[in-house]
Amino acid sequence: MKPIYVTQPTLPPLTEFIPYLEQIWDNKILTNGGTFHQQLEQALCEYLGVKHLALFANGTIALITALQALRITGEVITTPYSFVATAHSLLWNGIKPVFVDIDPTTLNLDPDKIEAAITPQTTAIMPVHCYGYPCNVARIQDIADNYNLKVIYDAAHAFGVKDNNGGLLNHGDLSVLSFHATKVFNTFEGGAIVCPDEKTKRRIDHLKNFGFVDEVTVVAAGINGKMSEINAAFGLLQLKGIDDALAKRKMIDARYREGLKNVAEIRCTNVGKHSANYAYFPIFVEHNRDALYEKLKANNIFGRRYFYPLISDFPMYRGLPSAAQSNLPVARQMANEVICLPMYANLEPEQQNFIIELITTGEKNECK
Ligand code: T4K
């Protein structure tokens, strides 16, 4: 059997991409805000229900720029249960991350624990909508308002997630998306910052273009964060199939839940189906997660332990007081138990049945 990875991008037929390439070849504008770049920004604003969005070369540079755009300094409260890019974006800005534990249900920053971590140096909160599961945005905003803090959401996983007020991406001061090849919506590499007003969008556009405002004026030490025309064109094409891809993911999610419901050692998440985009399918294995992980691998099933190790365990973070084991018990437990099972639109039912069988049948003690 061919390897089955944790994710696999859904690619449209190559022939459908050729006309886009022809247009790029005709125009000879390859990057720096060309036609496809403008069209994709517009199309994503409409699809996601957001006012303004600035495309980026990837999500990490978008995170770094989001912090720079709001002039964040000092300390920022964030989660250890995420991809390392979340905290790295703080270090790239000379900001000290302060790790706060997560809620065991949402797997996101626990609002009850945020206030105790605020100091006079705290300027912002950077929560993550982990796996696309919404943070408690109302509680986080209340805390931010009380302490005059900015909120920048790492929404790398949250493409298209809705909440009661519409798009989840409309919360906080800024939200940052990733369009990496492994994501629900991808542009090979890519990302975006969602922002509420024209003025902030202008500043972000300057910052992603070295700080240039016009031919002779540079206002900040900006970076090259621009998305190329090829990536933007691919995004426009991908967008046509996104609803179909999300519907397929939803079915795969349901099949896993049904297939795994009687396995005592395994917990699935329970965050409210209306608010998910089925970006990942994490399971939590109470005893000896790695035995199951290795068993799957031996059968060519390459799940991933997102997010193990915790960010706070990496060498550049583990000396921080907030990285102490005793500060992050829930995050640590989740990191030690998680396996993200293969989840992508084109995962075949037979492949999924094989994965479920491996987990459920016969050697139950293997995942003990
Ligand atoms: N914030 C959060 C919360 C994030 O999760 C991420 C990225 C970021 C910020 C930063 O956004 P970007 O700067 O990346 O836009 C992957 C991705 O590289 C990363 O984007 C993602 N999060 C993270 C959760 O996962 P790896 O090192 O696990 O990827 P990799 O190469 O092992 O890929 C996983 C599997 O996917 C492979 O085994 C096979 C399959 N795959 C992968 C690629 C790249 C494909 O089938 N095709 C492909 O092109 O980090």
Side-chain angles (χ1 to χ4, degrees), residues 114-137:
I114 292 176
E115 279 187 87
I118 295 173
T119 75
Q121 282 70 49
T122 311
T123 56
I125 308 172
M126 184 183 268
V128 178
H129 300 298
C130 191
Y131 307 132
Y133 303 158
C135 292
N136 189 333
V137 289

Side-chain angles (χ1 to χ4, degrees), residues 30-84:
L30 309 185
T31 185
N32 288 11
T35 316
F36 288 135
H37 185 283
Q38 289 165 31
Q39 286 176 12
L40 184 60
E41 285 196 346
Q42 185 61 39
L44 286 173
C45 280
E46 282 162 23
Y47 183 81
L48 298 169
V50 301
K51 284 215 180 79
H52 301 279
L53 175 148
L55 290 172
F56 273 79
N58 60 62
T60 305
I61 294 192
L63 280 172
I64 292 170
T65 305
L67 291 158
Q68 193 187 8
L70 298 185
R71 299 178 175 84
I72 305 298
T73 57
E75 295 179 4
V76 169
I77 289 171
T78 191
T79 167
Y81 191 76
S82 179
F83 191 59
V84 73

Side-chain angles (χ1 to χ4, degrees), residues 206 228 293:
H206 298 154
S228 85
Y293 178 68

Side-chain angles (χ1 to χ4, degrees), residues 156-284:
H157 304 170
F159 186 91
V161 179
K162 304 271 187 295
D163 69 2
N164 298 335
N165 302 319
L168 182 66
L169 303 171
N170 287 317
H171 292 279
D173 294 278
L174 298 174
S175 287
V176 177
L177 289 158
S178 163
F179 305 147
H180 182 259
T182 54
K183 297 297 194 295
V184 164
F185 169 79
N186 94 82
T187 57
F188 283 41
E189 290 274 2
I193 303 180
V194 172
C195 61
D197 62 273
E198 182 67 43
K199 194 171 159 216
T200 313
K201 154 88 164 125
R202 258 202 311 276
R203 176 162 164 78
I204 290 167
D205 282 344
H206 298 154
L207 290 174
K208 79 176 187 192
N209 188 26
F210 313 96
F212 273 108
V213 169
D214 59 38
E215 245 178 83
V216 292
T217 317
V218 174
V219 292
I223 200 159
N224 181 357
K226 292 169 273 114
M227 177 182 276
S228 85
E229 283 294 274
I230 289 218
N231 299 98
F234 186 75
L236 284 166
L237 185 53
Q238 278 285 85
L239 205 50
K240 293 184 182 172
I242 189 72
D243 286 333
D244 181 50
L246 289 171
K248 286 181 176 157
R249 283 174 177 274
K250 185 176 180 179
M251 275 161 44
I252 293 165
D253 180 282
R255 235 183 273 131
Y256 271 138
R257 284 179 192 279
E258 179 61 25
L260 298 176
K261 68 180 183 201
N262 294 325
V263 187
E265 298 88 346
I266 287 174
R267 296 189 313 279
C268 297
T269 54
N270 181 19
V271 289
K273 292 185 179 55
H274 68 283
S275 57
N277 62 358
Y278 313 100
Y280 295 85
F281 195 88
I283 59 168
F284 296 88

